[in-house]
């Protein structure tokens, strides 16, 4: 496993074709341009005219209604379409992929690198990526797996493309991508659920709704900053906040009595299992 920081200098990624122009693609395009990429080097295929026109207006990139037009001259293709339509899109581009031999990056959940390669005609250099929604703020993390056809230059180009969304983590075994999806891809929703419950509990304890919300949001933000900036493991940070026989200990013991750790493990296992089921369903 290799972790790359978004703070390091990134090499140029040449001409990039985005297949799909939704929110995640938009955030990556914005990040590339903010880091000096020429809008003319970015080509986007988006079937929805309103989205297509918005991309051209906001970023000055080249936009196309058809994927086959967008990939012309592009050495890196990034697929940002829904998993259920991925096979049809790839098969429609198979001849072009076999001719151009691009580096292919996919951010579609539940679609394996082997499936992508096969649908594109075989023996294609594929990177399977799993970003999460904070990537749209440049505060995400992306898990990555590369097929043997991806060389060191291809890995560097992928980092250059995705590091504007946050750090990248390279995984050695594709089977672990379902765990990546379960921990980080779905992970923001777990934090949102906790924040939702904390806010509701604060209101139940008599706090005004506005105060409960402000206290919850800033607490989550502050805790996240401590986790990323303090250089200490979560268990140590928790220990420092938990005074013996104090209020925090009472809360922590209640969480643990309810099986908090076991329930979290079960939830992540369920998400990972569902990721595997999605791969099978799309084959």
């Amino acid at each position: 496993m290799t972790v790359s920081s978004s703070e390091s200098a990134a090499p140029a990624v040449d001409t990039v074709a985005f297949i799909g122009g939704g929110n995640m693609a938009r955030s990556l395009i914005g990040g590339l341009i903010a880091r000096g990429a020429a809008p003319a080097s970015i080509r986007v295929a988006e079937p929805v005219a309103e989205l297509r026109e918005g991309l051209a207006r906001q970023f000055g990139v080249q936009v196309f209604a058809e994927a086959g037009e967008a990939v012309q001259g592009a050495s890196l293709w990034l697929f940002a379409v829904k998993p259920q339509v991925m096979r049809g899109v790839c098969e429609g581009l198979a001849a072009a992929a076999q001719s151009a031999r691009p580096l292919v990056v996919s951010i579609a959940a539940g679609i394996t690198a082997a499936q992508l390669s096969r649908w594109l005609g075989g023996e294609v250099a594929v990177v399977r990526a799993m970003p999460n929604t904070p990537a749209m703020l440049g505060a995400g993390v992306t898990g990555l797996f590369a097929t043997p056809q991806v060389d060191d230059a291809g890995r560097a180009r992928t980092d250059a493309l995705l590091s504007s969304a946050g750090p990248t983590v390279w995984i050695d075994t594709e089977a672990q991508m379902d765990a990546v999806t379960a921990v980080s891809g779905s992970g923001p929703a777990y934090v949102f659920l906790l924040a939702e419950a904390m806010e509701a509990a604060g209101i139940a304890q008599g706090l005004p709704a506005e105060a409960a919300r402000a206290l919850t949001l800033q607490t989550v933000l502050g805790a996240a900053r401590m986790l990323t900036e303090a250089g200490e493991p979560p268990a140590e940070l928790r220990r420092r906040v938990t005074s013996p026989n104090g209020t925090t200990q009472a809360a922590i013991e209640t969480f643990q009595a309810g099986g908090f750790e076991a329930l979290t493990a079960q939830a992540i296992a369920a998400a990972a299992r569902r990721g595997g089921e999605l791969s099978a369903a799309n084959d």
Side-chain angles (χ1 to χ4, degrees):
M1 182 185 74
T2 304
V3 180
S4 300
S5 170
S6 60
E7 296 177 357
S8 59
V13 294
D14 302 320
T15 301
V16 182
F18 284 83
I19 315 303
N23 288 335
M24 192 63 73
R26 182 182 293 271
S27 68
L28 291 172
I29 291 167
L32 282 175
I33 291 175
R35 298 176 70 189
S41 70
I42 300 173
R43 302 165 67 87
V44 187
E46 172 51 57
V48 179
E50 184 178 358
L51 293 178
R52 191 166 62 244
E53 293 162 4
L55 287 163
R57 184 170 54 252
Q58 181 176 0
F59 299 114
V61 297
Q62 302 179 72
V63 295
F64 305 87
E66 300 294 334
E69 296 179 281
V71 300
Q72 293 179 17
S75 57
L76 190 156
W77 302 0
L78 185 138
F79 285 86
V81 300
K82 295 183 183 300
Q84 57 266 34
V85 303
M86 180 67 85
R87 181 170 186 167
V89 172
C90 287
E91 289 177 345
L93 293 171
Q98 290 300 301
S99 175
R101 292 292 175 178
L103 172 63
V104 171
V105 179
S106 168
I107 62 173
I111 302 296
T112 68
Q115 287 172 320
L116 289 163
S117 181
R118 185 171 71 251
W119 296 339
L120 289 166
E123 296 301 315
V124 178
V126 174
V127 176
R128 181 179 171 189
M130 174 47 62
N132 58 9
T133 52
M136 290 186 284
L137 303 176
V141 63
T142 303
L144 300 168
F145 169 79
T147 62
Q149 290 81 11
V150 180
D151 57 16
D152 289 343
R155 287 172 176 257
R157 296 175 72 202
T158 303
D159 274 328
L161 176 62
L162 293 170
S163 61
S164 63
T168 59
V169 178
W170 288 92
I171 302 300
D172 296 327
T173 305
E174 187 171 13
Q176 296 173 333
M177 286 298 289
D178 290 330
V180 170
T181 301
V183 172
S184 64
S186 301
Y190 314 155
V191 179
F192 301 153
L193 179 63
L194 176 61
E196 181 183 355
M198 288 174 62
E199 184 178 340
I203 293 171
Q205 289 295 316
L207 289 172
E210 184 176 349
R213 180 171 179 79
L215 290 166
T216 296
L217 296 187
Q218 192 60 37
T219 298
V220 172
L221 175 61
R225 288 195 58 184
M226 290 184 70
L227 283 166
T228 56
E229 298 175 17
E232 300 284 350
E236 176 60 20
L237 292 175
R238 175 174 59 82
R239 186 191 66 77
R240 291 181 186 176
V241 177
T242 308
S243 301
N245 300 315
T247 59
T248 306
Q249 181 174 330
I252 294 295
E253 289 177 350
T254 302
F255 275 127
Q256 292 176 329
F260 183 82
E261 291 95 336
L263 187 60
T264 300
Q266 292 169 21
I268 289 177
R273 185 167 57 250
R274 182 55 178 158
E277 292 170 353
L278 288 173
S279 296
N282 286 298
D283 203 356

